Every structure is written in C-alpha cells, then in structure tokens.
Amino acid sequence: MARPLPNTDSPAAIRARRWAVGGTVLGLAVAVFAWAPAAWLASTCAAMTHERLLLADARGSVWNGSARVILSPGAGGKDASELPERLGWKLRPAWVDGGLGLRLTLDQSCCVAPDSPLTLRLGTSRMTLRLPDATPERPWIRWPASWLAGLGTPWNTVAPDGLLAFSAQGFVVDAQDKTVKVRGIAQVELRDFSSRLSQLSPLGSYRMNLIGGAEPQLMLRTDQGPLQLSGQGHLGARPQFRGEATPAPGSEAALANLLNIIGRREGARSIISVG
C-alpha cells in the first residue's frame, strides 16, 4: 500500500518552509554584504557630493578596494584633477568605544600615513567619528594643493600649488539625535603655497585649526610669507568665518591680482567673509 503524501499545510511543514525561505534570504543578504562591489561605493560618493568627489575606475569591494580619486566642478564640469596615485581602502566591522562600528584604513604610499585608521561607532540614534591622532610634523594625509583646481572657480583661477597636510589630536565628532558635539583639534596646513596670479613664490604657509567645544571654533593664521592671512569663525547652526588677507610691506603690487580674487578689497586689504 502506498504511503500517504505528507500534509504540506501542517504547522510543521509551514515552519519548515519559513525557515528555508528565511535561510535563503539571510544567505543572499550576507553574500551581498560581503561582496558588495566598490562601484557601489563610487556611486554613493558621487551622489552625496553632487559629483564633486569621484572614485573613478573603482576596483575590488566596498570592504577592500581602490580607485582613482578625482575632484570635479560637478555634473557637466570640464575641469577635473586627480591625485597622483590610486587610493586604496580597507573597511572592517569593529568594536569601537563599547559598541558596534567600522574601522577605515586608507592606503596611498605617496600621501597617507600607514596604519592610521579612522573609526565610526554606529547606534540607533547616535554616531561617533574619531580621526587618527597625528602631528603637524608627521601628518595623517599629505596631498598636493594643485588637486583643488579640479573644483573649478575660483580654484582653477588661483591655480594653487604647494602641499595640503591634515592632522588631528583627540578629534571626535559625536552626533546624537539632532545634537552634534566636537572634541579635540583638527588642523589643515597649506605649506609653501604659490599661485599663477603672482610672481612671488612661495606666497606663504598657513594653518586652519578646528577646535572642538560647544560651538567649534575656526582659527586661520600665517606661519610665514609675504601674503598674510588671518581670521576666525565658528561652526554650528549658522557657520561663519571672517578673515583678511594683507600684503607684507613691499609686496603690494605683486599681490594685487591675487588679493582681488581672494575677497572684497578695502584699500590694501582683502576681506574674506563666509556666512
């Protein structure tokens, strides 16, 4: 006598089908998560920056890949500039400050300090970003200032040359709900800056500090050079910055064109105002 067919509508059969479907979906999700192509990261980066920062010829995966890094004026822009070498990255899940997070390590032999990861702690309503500690003498990142010309006006007119150096000490950005808190110091230096708008070379070396606090402060100062830059401002609900550029005695004529581009002229000075 033939055995009766199993009841496919029984509770046990329904549970088995649910487990099978759930296992398949979970397996597919894990596979996509583990093998997500680097091109996805490139598309996201382009969309978030309105095509100003491009990861071209992206290879590998979101977790371990590389790309040519290009600055662009945006969609349809003709100017673009590229870093001298491909930028590699390694992104790993990590336990950060007592919670689940990510660790990102950049790899670029010409320009990025090795084994200097930044970390991101993730939560349901909180995100904490921590930059790697580095000193101005041994910065985290050193990129050519000429790269900025790819952003278009006014950078392509100024045609900057020199070195951009990024460093930080205890710099943490903590975003919780609608509140953002910043701790520590981040610093950007423009070293041995020159421009095709002036025959003086170099024009100087400068540093911009972002100092954490209830209202993070911006401080611009000149280390050396005939073009003197200074200013201060703050970040917050309404970011503001006020500064000025002045020529050192005897360099007024040589810096006139550049001062006209930098800001609004007031006699020998050029006033810089943002926000």
Side-chain angles (χ1 to χ4, degrees):
M1 181 181 295
R3 295 182 179 180
L5 295 175
N7 184 0
T8 57
D9 294 325
S10 67
I14 293 173
R15 285 196 299 271
R17 288 200 300 270
R18 287 176 177 174
W19 276 106
V21 171
T24 301
V25 171
L26 180 60
L28 289 173
V30 170
V32 170
F33 186 73
W35 299 102
W40 290 8
L41 181 62
S43 298
T44 301
C45 183
M48 291 180 64
T49 62
H50 302 287
E51 298 189 23
R52 291 184 176 273
L53 179 61
L54 304 176
L55 300 179
D57 188 25
R59 303 173 186 172
S61 71
V62 168
W63 303 101
N64 192 359
S66 70
R68 296 161 45 216
V69 186
I70 296 172
L71 285 182
S72 164
K78 296 180 179 180
D79 293 312
S81 58
E82 183 177 341
L83 286 176
E85 292 183 7
R86 293 180 67 89
L87 179 68
W89 66 82
K90 291 182 179 179
L91 184 63
R92 298 289 185 269
W95 195 253
V96 180
D97 296 334
L100 182 63
L102 297 169
R103 177 176 285 107
L104 172 64
T105 304
L106 301 178
D107 180 14
Q108 193 177 37
S109 59
C110 68
C111 310
V112 179
D115 301 324
S116 297
L118 61 85
T119 59
L120 181 67
R121 183 174 184 261
L122 305 173
T124 55
S125 61
R126 184 175 182 179
M127 183 177 68
T128 303
L129 173 69
R130 185 186 302 273
L131 297 186
D133 284 342
T135 64
E137 294 75 23
R138 300 184 66 183
W140 172 37
I141 291 175
R142 297 159 55 96
W143 281 334
S146 57
W147 187 44
L148 297 175
L151 291 172
T153 306
W155 298 104
N156 57 352
T157 302
V158 174
D161 198 5
L163 182 69
L164 288 169
F166 301 84
S167 58
Q169 297 85 44
F171 189 78
V172 179
V173 179
D174 192 0
Q176 187 169 10
D177 296 323
K178 296 182 179 181
T179 302
V180 179
K181 297 180 180 179
V182 179
R183 304 191 304 272
I185 298 175
Q187 182 171 268
V188 180
E189 293 179 84
L190 178 53
R191 301 176 181 174
D192 296 327
F193 165 61
S194 63
S195 167
R196 70 180 176 192
L197 296 179
S198 175
Q199 294 180 351
L200 293 178
S201 180
L203 292 166
S205 294
Y206 314 92
R207 65 181 66 198
M208 174 77 83
N209 286 340
L210 173 57
I211 305 169
E215 190 174 67
Q217 301 296 304
L218 292 168
M219 303 291 293
L220 172 64
R221 80 179 200 194
T222 300
D223 287 338
Q224 61 181 0
L227 177 64
Q228 300 288 305
L229 302 180
S230 63
Q232 58 185 359
H234 62 80
L235 301 181
R238 298 182 62 183
Q240 290 185 341
F241 181 81
R242 300 290 183 270
E244 65 178 44
T246 58
S251 60
E252 292 86 354
L255 295 176
N257 288 340
L258 185 58
L259 290 170
N260 290 335
I261 294 292
I262 289 177
R264 175 175 49 85
R265 289 299 294 268
E266 285 189 1
R269 301 185 305 164
S270 183
I271 305 302
I272 306 167
S273 180
V274 180

